[in-house]
Amino acid sequence: MKVLKFGGSSVANSENIKKVLAIIENASKEDKVAIIVSAFGKTTDQLLSASHKALEDITLSKEILETIKELHFNVIDALITQNKEEVLKEVHILFNRLESIYEGVFLLQELSDKTLAKVSSFGERLSSFIIANAAKETLDATHGESSDLIFTNDNYLNAQVNFKITNKNIIDFFDKNKHQITVLGGFISSNNIEITTLGRGGSDFSAAIYAAALQVDELQIWTDVSGMFTANPRVVKQAFPINEISYEEAMELSHFGAKVLYPPTIQPALRQEIPIRIKNTFDPESLGTLICKNPKNSNGVKGISHIEDISLITLEGGGMIGIPGFSKRLFETLSQQFINVVFITQASSEHSICVGVYENDAQKAKELLDETFSIEIDRKRIKPISIEKELAIIAVVGESMKNHQGLSGQMFSALGRNNVNVRAIAQGSSEKNISAVINKKDAKKALNTLHEQFFEERIKQLNLFVTGVGNVGERFLAQLQQQKKFLKENLKLNIRVIGIANSRKMFFDNNGINLKNWKESLENGEPTTLESFYKKVKKCNHRNSVFIDNTANQRVSEVYEQYLRESISVVTCNKIACASNFENYKTLKEVSRKYNASFLFETYVGAGLPIIDTLKNLINSGDRVHKIQAVLSGSLNFVFNNYNEQATFHDVVAQAQKEGFTEPDPKIDLSGVDVARKILILARESGYKLELEDIENNSFLPKETLATENNTEFYTSLTKHENHFQNLYKKADDKACRLKYVAEFANGKANVGLQHIASDHPFYNLDGSDNIVLFFTERYPENPLIIKGAGAGADVTASGIFADVIRIANK
Ligand code: ADP
Ligand code: ASP
Ligand code: MG
């Protein structure tokens, strides 16, 4: 014999029930079957909410009742022909009784647990009766009343089963019953006089009770997912079904919120070692999950689950130390009032005990405990009970975790890296689970982080938030789109852009923005400010988040710290932050270290050339920088390489800007400020404390040009001073030298300025917008370490940003 249980979504409407009937028909070909059904769809929720409404306004509860009726009559119309009149008569009787109960609640203004149990039982009474009759149309089926068979105590909403009597009832019933198919309601039971219920989600439990009593070969739980997943598939998209899992593991997972099974379900099946198979009504072919005694491939972590709406209750005080009985009194108080303790930790000093309870119970628990410990509290031996709300528990489960060292280390460092604050930790001594209490708002991120850590080591996801989609930003997005497939296949990286913004608008898609039409999406996005963008990024609360600044904007550079403090990495080509005062630079570096978030700016110097990265490697491996000589302005290089007696300075600068070789404000390049910032950053990264003002800047621009206030004035002034620029050129040319804008750092001092470079110098042959850096260090004292290559342009800058993103991914 087999027991098959179908959950609420499997029987949510006539279409679904047809699928169920096909599965039943198939299963009943070889064997007798007991079919346990839940209430249709969300009927139980609706029945309960109508009961509460009846206390306020009977018309509201009748409205809900009407929708419930409509669903049930629709199913009858669609599935029952032969016995229809009888079925309708019985169903009308049930609905009339239900309506009278609601009226009673309204009149008496009383809604006891007893009444709630009675009301909620109607869901399964109706569903089992209707499905039994639908099956009778073509199959050898009958209906059984679970309330006649499952016998419990008086705890109406979470009744305890008396197995001795129940098992006998069930065995006797099936002995007499010769039908191939018996349909019974889950969830309902009785204390011999009144209806009781087995707790929300209790149909699974009913099914296990029948399976154990009848000692069946297999218990099948049919639901709306293809098995027990490595994590709730609604929360973790990458979760996948677990092929086989042990009873204990399944119990831990369901205890910690894997709703696919109701926690006590497994107990009766476990005692009898009955295999449980979880199957998908909507995909009957897929294998599902087998829960059994000795599952195959039990490797480390099996699954991750979580419970939301948890509160922590803490009992604390020096008066507890060394005095036995505190925890006994605590647990006794809670259990007497049926308050479920989900989680326990005790500090080793015995100075505090901390228990997790459902949020609904928290206030009541506090009041009860304050009362229990009132004497100790009055005498100040312990503090009044404290509650912390809005928490969640996440649990990592796996039977053979005890054989794998370092799992908890991995768990907590993965959470830490993603700024998930852990409030309390418990590890069962059986080491089947490690659970942690965290803020509820972090639950989704934490689950995804841990899932990635334990199940997806092969594919790592990075979530990007990009501001600035001008020249550099646009190329970056294009490169990313082009490389996406390669990164996934070769580097096992899934890089998604979740948010983009320009100065006016922002657009977010939590599943990753389609990079083919991001421009259109952004155009239709919502208005943005730096603050609203930040808030939105924070709200998204994705793991491995990276904020990317492709602007040259001062205000954007001021928000990095906020991001870093949320453990969101920052990648930027905006030079302002690191070239601002040293304290600010230092703070950003420190915050980045403290919150374990990368702060990368390779493109500050030499666009995509690996200059800063190389310098970091030198320093980290113990080298010391003595001197740096460099041509660091791709734009100035372009300008002086193209400028001669045949050209005008104005046109050459305009062309450099057009080709994307200058900052949006070309004066920043021409005045030498950009180069000064770059040598400043190299000096700082070399370990020297320097400010921008300390750098001697010998500008070649006329004073008047330096004083211009906008691009138009600036360009006009270039034309006006053409002679000045021609003179500069001629002086160098007369000596067979070229003009190069050189940055130097030595003996703790730096300067930038135009120099005459003779043909034997390594700088002489720099082409186009090339950059070159010479590092003279302890290891490279005479022959410097040289890095040379294209040092400006949107494409190379974008690829530098890209390289920083990959560095973060590989961290
Ligand atoms: P039923 O109505 O069939 O009893 P439930 O809604 O009670 O179904 O349980 C199935 C749901 O459990 C799934 O739709 C899924 O959202 C949720 N769930 C939570 N954790 C898990 C998990 N680890 N594996 C599968 N499902 C899970
Ligand atoms: N119908 C009940 C509930 O919704 C029992 C079940 O479906 O398991 O809680
Ligand atoms: Mg369920």
Side-chain angles (χ1 to χ4, degrees), residues 113 116 181 239 486 615 649 687 698 701:
D113 285 357
L116 282 168
I181 299 165
F486 176 88
L615 178 55
F649 202 69
N698 309 308
L701 288 180

Side-chain angles (χ1 to χ4, degrees), residues 338-358:
F338 303 112
I339 292 177
N340 202 351
V341 173
V342 193
F343 176 99
I344 309 166
T345 59
Q346 172 162 33
S348 59
S349 67
E350 295 180 40
H351 181 71
S352 76
I353 308 175
C354 190
V355 296
V357 299
Y358 291 106

